[in-house]
């Protein structure tokens, strides 16, 4: 099914918007950045609203978007110092967040065109070839993401990738959720639970130190539901560095198995999001860098705390942290990961 034209890139490429629908769930995705631009779900009274932040124009996604809804890579999250070593060779990457490389560099996968492989009413398969040397990473990487609606209220993301040279890989979807509705204001009243007993503290540049710290007795303990605002202003040095939550949580259970990772509830609307994933970790990010300069489709500005991200992924800076799970992908191997966003209301 062909999508509707959403706009044209600065170099003239047509970008399409694809709408998937099943029951009360509607999801819009563009083939620039493989970005989710809208997810419409009902509240407890049956009123539907878009529950992800986004922008009105393609130009916004191309120039100023903080990865709204995008699939980012080749390496999601941070690589310290913009460099890593693999098989005795050191690779240098463009830095785009202080001294570090964030999400794979300034022209990461979220700022690239993807090609449509298959499209129907309930699924969309997108792919791209990331050539050897793109943003400094080795190997020709063929990467795919499939969005599908396998059941009522379920948005499923299946990732796959192969390479012709040893490389590193970390993929995630960077949707900013507001279960009260896009443009509804702060999400800090949302109740969140994480299936994680530990997190990875960072240095002053937000790169993990290598420590895996238990959440017990810290503001990072979401093992039972609590509002995001409950401890976000505590005088914890980790919260001060990130201006809120922007940390990797170590998920329970074996990576590679689809298991619960997070639950988020908006008490006002009754909307609920359950996140399931095969990935080893989840980055909880409370939109701390939204500064009022971006305006959403609602016509309302986005400020710090107006969206929350549940970025299922591998560990940040893993190539430089031998104690973290490996992010290396070699020829003959296939990277595969699945995340499900399950929506309901009560």
């Amino acid at each position: 099914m062909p999508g509707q034209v959403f706009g044209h890139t600065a170099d003239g490429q047509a970008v399409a918007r694809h709408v998937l629908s099943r029951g009360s769930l509607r999801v819009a995705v563009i083939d620039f950045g493989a970005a989710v631009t809208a997810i419409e779900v009902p509240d407890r009274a049956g009123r539907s609203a878009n529950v992800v932040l986004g922008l009105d124009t393609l130009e916004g996604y191309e120039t100023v978007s903080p990865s709204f809804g995008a699939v980012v890579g080749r390496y999601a999250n941070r690589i310290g110092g913009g460099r890593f070593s693999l098989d005795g060779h050191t690779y240098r990457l463009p830095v785009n967040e202080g001294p570090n490389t964030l999400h794979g560099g300034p022209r990461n996968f979220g700022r690239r065109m993807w090609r449509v492989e298959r499209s129907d009413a309930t699924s969309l398969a997108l792919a791209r070839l990331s050539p050897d040397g793109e943003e400094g990473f080795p190997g020709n990487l063929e990467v795919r993401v499939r969005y599908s609606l396998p059941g009522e209220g379920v948005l499923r993301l299946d990732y796959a990738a192969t390479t012709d040279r040893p490389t590193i890989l970390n993929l995630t979807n960077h949707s900013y959720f507001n279960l009260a509705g896009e443009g509804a204001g702060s999400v800090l009243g949302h109740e969140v639970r994480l299936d994680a007993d530990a997190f990875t503290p960072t240095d002053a540049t937000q790169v993990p130190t290598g420590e895996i710290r238990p959440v017990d007795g810290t503001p990072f303990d979401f093992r039972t539901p609590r509002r995001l605002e409950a401890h976000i202003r505590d005088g914890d040095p980790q919260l001060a560095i990130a201006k809120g939550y922007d940390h990797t949580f170590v998920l329970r259970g074996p990576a590679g198995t689809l298991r619960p990772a997070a639950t988020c509830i908006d008490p006002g609307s009754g909307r609920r999001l359950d996140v399931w994933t095969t990935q080893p970790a989840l980055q909880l990010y409370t939109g701390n860098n939204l500064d009022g300069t971006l305006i959403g489709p609602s016509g309302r500005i986005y400020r710090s705390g107006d969206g929350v991200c549940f970025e299922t992924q591998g560990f940040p800076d893993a190539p430089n942290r031998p104690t973290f799970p490996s992010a290396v992908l070699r020829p003959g191997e296939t990277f595969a990961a699945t995340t499900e966003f399950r929506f309901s209301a009560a």
Side-chain angles (χ1 to χ4, degrees), residues 167-189:
T167 192
I168 61 171
L169 182 65
N170 189 23
L171 299 174
T172 195
N173 177 274
H174 208 292
S175 290
Y176 291 65
F177 293 96
N178 187 327
L179 297 183
E182 181 274 325
S186 176
V187 299
L188 298 185

Side-chain angles (χ1 to χ4, degrees), residues 6 37 50 52-61 64-66 68 182-184 289-303 306:
F6 185 72
T37 60
N50 173 25
V52 290
L53 308 191
L55 298 167
D56 264 338
T57 67
L58 176 61
E59 181 184 10
Y61 282 95
V64 297
S65 172
F68 283 143
E182 181 274 325
N289 295 318
L290 299 174
D291 60 4
T293 58
L294 299 178
I295 300 173
S298 59
R300 295 174 64 83
I301 63 173
Y302 294 150
R303 295 188 180 275
D306 282 359

Side-chain angles (χ1 to χ4, degrees), residues 173-229:
N173 177 274
H174 208 292
S175 290
Y176 291 65
F177 293 96
N178 187 327
L179 297 183
E182 181 274 325
S186 176
V187 299
L188 298 185
H190 285 23
E191 297 173 354
V192 169
R193 182 188 57 77
L194 301 179
D195 289 83
D197 301 312
F199 74 105
T200 61
T202 74
D203 65 17
T205 71
Q206 294 190 259
V207 171
T209 63
E211 177 189 359
I212 294 179
R213 183 180 299 176
V215 299
D216 189 41
T218 77
F220 298 87
D221 189 352
F222 286 93
R223 292 175 297 178
T224 57
R226 63 166 52 160
R227 292 179 184 250
L228 288 168
E229 65 192 1

Side-chain angles (χ1 to χ4, degrees), residues 20-175:
L20 312 180
S21 179
R22 182 165 188 159
S24 59
L25 174 63
R26 285 171 52 89
V27 178
V29 182
I30 57 175
D31 43 30
F32 181 84
V36 174
T37 60
I39 300 175
E40 296 177 10
V41 295
D43 65 7
R44 64 165 64 93
R47 296 181 293 256
S48 283
N50 173 25
V51 295
V52 290
L53 308 191
L55 298 167
D56 264 338
T57 67
L58 176 61
E59 181 184 10
Y61 282 95
E62 197 170 10
T63 59
V64 297
S65 172
S67 301
F68 283 143
V71 172
V72 293
R74 186 175 298 194
Y75 205 90
N77 214 311
R78 296 168 176 89
I79 294 180
R83 63 182 181 274
F84 68 95
S85 294
L86 178 60
D87 295 343
H89 182 81
T90 296
Y91 295 91
R92 299 192 179 276
L93 314 172
V95 297
N96 58 331
E97 188 193 53
N100 306 318
T101 300
L102 177 66
H103 295 328
R107 291 212 61 208
N108 67 68
F109 293 177
R111 296 254 195 258
R112 304 276 185 173
M113 284 295 299
W114 293 62
R115 68 180 184 272
V116 177
E117 290 196 320
R118 296 182 305 280
S119 177
D120 59 42
T122 59
S123 68
L124 172 68
L126 298 166
R128 72 175 305 265
L129 172 66
S130 175
D132 182 34
E134 184 176 76
E135 296 292 84
F137 292 93
N140 293 297
L141 183 82
E142 186 69 38
V143 60
R144 292 176 171 81
V145 61
R146 179 176 183 262
Y147 293 99
S148 63
L149 311 182
E152 179 66 29
V154 179
L155 170 59
R156 180 181 172 109
L157 287 69
D158 291 296
Y159 304 94
T162 56
T163 182
D164 64 357
R165 286 181 60 193
T167 192
I168 61 171
L169 182 65
N170 189 23
L171 299 174
T172 195
N173 177 274
H174 208 292
S175 290

